Amino acid sequence: TIDGIAAEAGISKGGVLYYFSNKQDLLLGMVERYEVDFYRRRQPILDKIPETVVHRRLKATTMLMLADMKAADDSVPNFQSVLDDATLRKRVGDFKKRLYKDITEGIPQPEVAIMVMYMIDGFWMNTNFSPSVVTKTQRNNAFKALLDYLDSLS
C-alpha cells in the first residue's frame, strides 16, 4: 500500500502522492529508475572487460544481475503487483527487450546470450519466489559455472 511504502521510506503519504498519484505510478517509476540505474552500475564492470571479448556486454550484464541476486538474499520483495498489472508487466517486458537487444548485438551466436538470460531469469524467479528450492551454495556454484562458461566463449 502507499501507506506502507510511505512508512518504510519515513515520509508522509502526502509526500509520496506529491510525486506519484497512485501505487501503479510509483511502481512504474521504480522500474524506470531500476533500468537507468542498471546501465549506470553496469558501465564500470563493462569498462574492466577488454574490448576484444565478443560477449562483453552479456558478461557484464550477467555479473551485475548475479551480484544483485546475491545482495537480495535476505529480502524477498512482493512482486505480485508487477505480475498482476498489465502496464507494469509491459514496462518490465520493454526493458527486457532493450536489454536482450543490447547484449546480443554484434555477437555471432545471439541465441547463446538469450539462453544465458533465460538462465538468469530462472535464477531470479527461484531466488524471489522459491528461495528454499536451491541452497545459496548451490546457486553460487551455478553462478560461477555460468561465468566460467561465458569466459570460455571469448
Side-chain angles (χ1 to χ4, degrees), residues 6 10 13 19 23 55-56 73 76 79 92 106 108 112 120 137-138 140 144:
K13 181 177 179 177
Y19 294 101
K23 187 175 176 181
H55 294 83
R56 72 190 281 267
D73 273 341
V76 179
F79 292 100
V92 170
V112 169
I120 292 170
T137 300
Q138 290 170 322
N140 291 341
K144 184 182 179 325

Side-chain angles (χ1 to χ4, degrees), residues 7 11 22-23 29 43 50 68 88 119 122 127 134 146 152-153:
I11 60 175
N22 56 46
K23 187 175 176 181
Q43 192 58 49
D68 281 353
L88 288 168
M119 291 172 70
T127 298
V134 176
L146 180 58
S152 76
L153 296 175

Side-chain angles (χ1 to χ4, degrees), residues 38 40 59 80 89 95 98 109 126 129:
F38 180 86
R40 181 190 57 76
K59 184 173 181 180
Q80 198 61 44
R89 276 195 318 272
F95 166 55
R98 285 188 293 279
Q109 295 177 304
N126 181 275
F129 295 105

Side-chain angles (χ1 to χ4, degrees), residues 35-149:
E35 183 174 357
V36 169
D37 189 52
F38 180 86
Y39 287 110
R40 181 190 57 76
R41 293 182 307 122
R42 186 184 73 165
Q43 192 58 49
I45 299 168
L46 196 57
D47 291 343
K48 292 178 183 175
I49 302 172
E51 295 270 343
T52 56
V53 174
V54 176
H55 294 83
R56 72 190 281 267
R57 286 194 310 266
L58 173 61
K59 184 173 181 180
T61 297
T62 301
M63 292 171 73
L64 179 57
M65 292 177 106
L66 298 180
D68 281 353
M69 277 186 268
K70 284 182 180 181
D73 273 341
D74 297 323
S75 61
V76 179
N78 179 357
F79 292 100
Q80 198 61 44
S81 296
V82 174
L83 298 174
D84 289 343
D85 187 290
T87 303
L88 288 168
R89 276 195 318 272
K90 181 179 180 337
R91 181 66 181 89
V92 170
D94 290 346
F95 166 55
K96 297 288 278 199
K97 285 177 189 174
R98 285 188 293 279
L99 184 60
Y100 280 28
K101 183 178 182 204
D102 175 64
I103 63 172
T104 58
E105 192 174 304
I107 64 173
Q109 295 177 304
E111 61 275 2
V112 169
I114 292 169
M115 177 188 72
V116 169
M117 292 310 296
Y118 278 142
M119 291 172 70
I120 292 170
D121 285 347
F123 285 138
W124 184 86
M125 291 293 288
N126 181 275
T127 298
N128 289 296
F129 295 105
S130 308
S132 62
V133 174
V134 176
T135 68
K136 288 179 188 180
T137 300
Q138 290 170 322
R139 188 204 55 207
N140 291 341
N141 288 340
F143 288 176
K144 184 182 179 325
L146 180 58
L147 291 171
D148 289 346
Y149 171 72

